[in-house]
Amino acid sequence: MMMIPADAALYFAVVTALSIPVWIVAAYVRPGTQILPGIPLSALAAFTPAIVAAMLESTHPVASSRAEGMWRLFAGTHDVGRLRSPWRLAVDVLFHPILALLAYGSIRASRNARSLPMPQFGKIDSTTVQLFAMFLVAAFGEELGWTGYARSKLADAGYSSQEAGFVMGLFQAAWHWIPLTKAGRNARWIAWWTLYCLSIALVRSWLFDHAGPSVTAAAVLHAAGNLCWQLFPVQGSLWDPVHFGLWSCALSAVPYVFF
């Protein structure tokens, strides 16, 4: 794999530096506070990736490049028109529900738990819509930076879709380790979740490339994953990173092999 380009490396460093104060406040000022079950207060750092991307674009020495960069970055919030292909839209919308159902089946089989509650994917009410809207806003806060900025810098440097997805997934996983630790996750849980994160990043990278490119596609996939987690029994508490990690790893190969 090639060296990470300087602008992407700078981006990763600044995102980390600006996330630290949020993590400290969440850990020591309001310890134990959760936005939703399993989502600690430190998750408010979700908007840091987009903020840093905007900062870096706005500091370009050439004024015309600043304007072009800012326009290209925030155009990602309304590039949904690139998702007109039905099968690409299907990958975007159905990937996480299919993954969750497969994981649910293997969890139920491994535990021999016939009474395990079903995921509430068919439950579309005002709460579900509000949850998805909240997750979508947060997803844009991340993906405008991760996908719209850093992922594009890697592509400009010659990274393939798989290589860029792996690098982004690795950094995104590491960036979440502190919030996950504060949410009470142990090392084994985080290790399997990291496999899941890397696998999803590969799918997101492929979808970004084949949907336009489209930041909206990446954000919808991101938000759908969080929504499926919250709709998993019971409010996501039975979400098992071992099963989700293994199934996501297998499914992540499908678009690269067959499309």
Side-chain angles (χ1 to χ4, degrees):
M1 185 176 291
M2 297 171 289
M3 293 288 292
I4 295 177
D7 45 8
L10 174 63
Y11 173 78
F12 294 147
V14 177
V15 168
T16 301
L18 294 187
S19 299
I20 290 173
V22 180
W23 295 336
I24 292 175
V25 169
Y28 297 105
V29 177
R30 297 294 299 273
T33 302
Q34 293 191 342
I35 302 171
L36 285 172
I39 303 180
L41 195 61
S42 55
L44 290 175
F47 297 97
T48 307
I51 292 171
V52 173
M55 287 171 51
L56 294 178
E57 289 287 14
S58 66
T59 57
H60 196 283
V62 181
S64 59
S65 296
R66 287 199 298 270
E68 181 184 352
M70 291 292 284
W71 168 254
R72 184 173 58 249
L73 179 67
F74 288 103
T77 61
H78 55 275
D79 60 3
V80 68
R82 295 172 177 170
L83 280 172
R84 290 173 182 168
S85 174
W87 64 273
R88 290 172 186 167
L89 181 61
V91 172
D92 208 20
V93 174
L94 298 177
F95 180 86
H96 278 290
I98 291 172
L99 168 62
L101 288 173
L102 289 170
Y104 171 83
S106 61
I107 291 171
R108 183 170 175 171
S110 66
R111 298 181 182 182
N112 195 25
R114 296 182 179 179
S115 61
L116 192 69
M118 281 289 293
Q120 300 299 306
F121 297 149
K123 180 183 177 183
I124 302 178
D125 54 16
S126 59
T127 301
T128 304
V129 173
Q130 290 169 9
L131 272 175
F132 182 74
M134 182 189 72
F135 285 137
L136 186 61
V137 170
F140 271 114
E142 290 195 44
E143 296 305 334
L144 281 173
W146 298 141
T147 302
Y149 184 85
R151 166 68 174 73
S152 297
K153 298 299 183 185
L154 295 175
D156 291 343
Y159 277 64
S160 68
S161 184
Q162 296 97 320
E163 290 170 337
F166 181 81
V167 171
M168 293 308 306
L170 190 60
F171 182 79
Q172 286 175 284
W175 186 72
H176 281 85
W177 287 343
I178 291 178
L180 288 172
T181 301
K182 301 311 296 183
R185 307 303 187 185
N186 59 34
R188 178 180 179 274
W189 196 101
I190 293 174
W192 281 106
W193 178 87
T194 298
L195 174 63
Y196 163 80
C197 186
L198 285 169
S199 301
I200 299 302
L202 288 172
V203 176
R204 190 163 51 242
S205 182
W206 177 89
L207 193 59
F208 173 71
D209 281 341
H210 289 77
S214 173
V215 174
T216 298
V220 169
L221 185 73
H222 192 142
N226 285 333
L227 180 64
C228 286
W229 162 48
Q230 281 292 309
L231 295 179
F232 206 74
V234 176
Q235 287 188 301
S237 61
L238 297 181
W239 194 98
D240 190 325
V242 176
H243 294 268
F244 275 84
L246 291 173
W247 277 114
S248 63
C249 185
L251 290 179
S252 67
V254 172
Y256 290 100
V257 173
F258 295 102
F259 300 100

